[in-house]
Amino acid sequence: MLITVPCCGSLRAELAATLIALSRDPRYEISVRFQNERPYEHSLNLLARQADESGYDWWLTFDDDQVPYGNPLDLIELDLDVVSCPAPIWMPDKSPKCPVVWNAFDDLGPSEFRTHQPQKGLQEVGITGSGALLIARRVFTEIEHPFLIDWDSQGRKLSGPDIAFCRRARAAGFKIWVHFDYPCRHYCVTDVAEIGTWIAKNLAVDHG
C-alpha cells in the first residue's frame, strides 16, 4: 500500500497528522512518499510509475491541501477501480447559484460537466478531482501515463490532469467512484474579493 503527496508547497499540519495515523493502520503495510517535482501532473505520473514498479496493490494519493475526515483505507475493502474522497471546491462559473460544490461530476463532453446527484454514499461518476484518490493496481499498470494532460493542435490545454485521468481510465474500461461518506477538508486559497462579488450579485438585499 503506497500513500503519496505530490507536494508543490507547504504541507498542512492536519494532513501530516493524518499521514502518521494512516501509516499506523494495522491492516496494511504502508509506505509514505512525497514528490515535489513540477508541474503537478509530472509528480503524479512519477508516483504512478513508482507504485507500479514497486508492486503496490493500492495507491492512495493526497494533494497537500486536502485532509480526509475518515479513514480512506476502509475503501480498499470495496475493491473499486478508482474511488475519490470528495472535497468542496469554489466553482461559480459551473454552478452560479451555489458556487461551492463537491468535486464529483457527470461528464457531458470535451469541456462540459455537471455536479453529480445524489451526493450521498457511494456514487459512480464521470469525473472527480485528484486531491484524494484511491487507485487499484490494475488501473495504474494498464495506463502508462495516467495523468498526462491533453492538448489541442495549438498547444492549448484541453483539461487538467484529473479530468484527463478520469476520461483515460473510463476509456480503458475502469469505473470512477466517489464516496460521500468519506469527504475531505479543502484548505485552498480563494480570492475573498471574488467571493464578495458573488455575494453582492446573488445575495444582495434591498433595505430601501
Side-chain angles (χ1 to χ4, degrees):
M1 172 74 211
L2 177 64
I3 300 176
T4 68
V5 181
C7 186
C8 293
S10 59
L11 185 69
R12 296 285 313 189
E14 296 88 347
L15 179 56
T18 295
L19 293 173
I20 293 171
L22 292 177
S23 70
R24 294 172 176 170
D25 192 308
R27 294 174 292 178
Y28 306 101
E29 293 184 9
I30 295 172
S31 297
V32 178
R33 297 184 185 177
F34 299 90
Q35 191 77 42
N36 61 358
E37 299 286 340
R38 294 176 183 270
Y40 167 74
E41 60 272 14
H42 177 52
S43 280
L44 282 174
N45 282 315
L46 286 175
L47 290 167
R49 296 282 56 81
Q50 292 174 29
D52 182 17
E53 293 167 1
S54 300
Y56 291 103
D57 291 329
W58 295 94
W59 172 32
L60 176 61
T61 185
F62 294 108
D63 281 359
D64 56 16
D65 61 356
Q66 294 194 21
V67 181
Y69 281 98
N71 186 344
L73 299 182
D74 297 344
L75 301 176
I76 291 176
E77 298 175 8
L78 301 178
D79 194 26
L80 303 171
D81 299 325
V82 179
V83 58
S84 167
C85 299
I89 58 175
W90 174 254
M91 189 172 281
D93 56 328
K94 294 294 184 182
S95 181
K97 294 184 179 180
C98 183
V100 177
V101 301
W102 293 107
N103 58 351
F105 304 98
D106 300 322
D107 193 355
L108 304 180
S111 59
E112 296 296 325
F113 45 92
R114 68 183 171 212
T115 304
H116 178 81
Q117 297 291 340
Q119 298 180 346
K120 59 181 180 179
L122 181 64
Q123 299 287 328
E124 184 178 355
V125 299
I127 293 171
T128 188
S130 54
L133 278 182
L134 177 66
I135 306 173
R137 177 175 179 78
R138 56 184 175 270
V139 178
F140 56 76
T141 56
E142 174 72 19
I143 305 173
E144 185 176 4
H145 305 296
F147 292 93
L148 185 67
I149 287 178
D150 294 321
W151 306 84
D152 67 12
S153 59
Q154 304 298 316
R156 295 171 296 193
K157 185 170 70 173
L158 293 174
S159 62
D162 44 7
I163 295 175
F165 165 69
C166 290
R167 288 175 172 163
R168 198 167 285 121
R170 285 168 34 228
F174 300 110
K175 292 185 176 181
I176 309 297
W177 301 86
V178 168
H179 208 313
F180 287 96
D181 293 343
Y182 289 80
C184 283
R185 300 178 179 91
H186 191 190
Y187 297 94
C188 63
V189 177
T190 301
D191 183 2
V192 176
E194 182 180 355
I195 298 174
T197 300
W198 183 89
I199 292 174
K201 180 179 178 181
N202 295 277
L203 301 180
V205 177
D206 185 359
H207 295 286

